[in-house]
Amino acid sequence: MKLGGERMDDGAALEALFATLPVSCDWTIGFLTAVRTGPDAIATSAWIAEILPDGAGAGPEVDLLTRLSGAVAETLRTEPSIICPEPDKTEQEAIDFCRGYLHGARMHGTWSADETATRDLLPFRVLANEGVETDASNATHREKLGGHVKDLHAYWKARRQVVSTTPKVGRNDPCPCGSGKKHKKCCHAASAG
């Protein structure tokens, strides 16, 4: 798996951290990928609590995981299909990634309620050995895993609400273009016709 953007030159620090955790690096990257992909805002404290045991909430571990989350987010913005383990990596890496991804996806209430997005988790469930049957082989799902990550990222990106900070202009307010006319007689009329 590859991460872009923010440099993660902390290979030894990450290795030391994951040696003390009940989850693997692959699980964590899968988890963070789903947390960052999904439709709901998940607080940092909420996802940190899923990775660090005993509610550890400060220190170098949190800083390292926060930077890892930033690297995952940057990779999702630039090239989401490269974030998952490549097909030539061990089967366990793919299993861990998919288990982490499913755990992260299940933290999103909106995701769980969306039939299409839930159905699109099927390849992850197959690869995570959740006992699901499909027509495709595990090898096929494994080869297409990067595409599944990319497709789900695009699916949720298109559905996130964009909050407008521009105040609404009433029909009888002065037109924001500066013409001096009422909005209904200026730009509103032009956009309606």
Side-chain angles (χ1 to χ4, degrees):
M1 99 194 51
K2 303 170 189 169
L3 296 175
E6 185 172 329
R7 292 184 50 94
M8 289 300 297
D9 292 334
D10 305 281
L14 280 170
E15 194 173 308
L17 173 63
F18 286 109
T20 66
L21 296 178
V23 295
S24 69
C25 185
D26 294 298
W27 184 96
T28 303
I29 290 174
F31 172 73
L32 291 172
T33 299
V35 165
R36 293 296 205 140
T37 290
D40 305 318
I42 307 291
T44 301
S45 59
W47 64 256
I48 288 282
E50 297 294 316
I51 300 170
L52 293 177
D54 304 323
E61 298 88 5
V62 172
D63 178 55
L64 193 56
L65 289 171
T66 303
R67 289 183 44 237
L68 181 60
S69 176
V72 166
E74 178 62 25
T75 304
L76 287 170
R77 275 191 296 278
T78 58
E79 199 172 351
S81 62
I82 69 165
I83 203 161
C84 56
E86 297 91 356
D88 64 336
K89 298 295 183 184
T90 69
E91 181 180 359
Q92 190 60 49
E93 289 178 66
I95 290 169
D96 287 352
F97 178 87
C98 290
R99 286 180 177 166
Y101 193 93
L102 290 166
H103 190 84
R106 291 172 179 145
M107 289 187 74
H108 294 273
T110 304
W111 196 324
S112 302
D114 187 290
E115 189 176 316
T116 301
T118 301
R119 183 189 67 235
D120 289 348
L121 288 174
L122 180 64
F124 297 89
R125 293 182 62 214
V126 168
L127 291 170
N129 295 324
E130 285 194 353
V132 226
E133 300 284 328
T134 68
D135 295 335
S137 70
N138 280 14
T140 302
H141 285 306
R142 183 84 185 271
E143 288 172 15
K144 295 180 179 181
L145 187 57
H148 295 308
V149 168
K150 182 179 179 178
D151 293 345
L152 277 164
H153 183 261
Y155 179 83
W156 285 120
K157 184 177 179 183
R159 281 156 184 76
R160 285 189 199 104
Q161 289 185 357
V162 177
V163 178
S164 175
T165 57
T166 308
K168 187 174 179 178
V169 180
R171 289 174 35 87
N172 290 318
D173 291 342
C175 191
C177 76
S179 67
K181 298 179 184 178
K182 288 187 177 184
H183 183 58
K184 68 181 177 184
K185 296 283 187 178
C186 189
C187 292
H188 182 271
S191 67

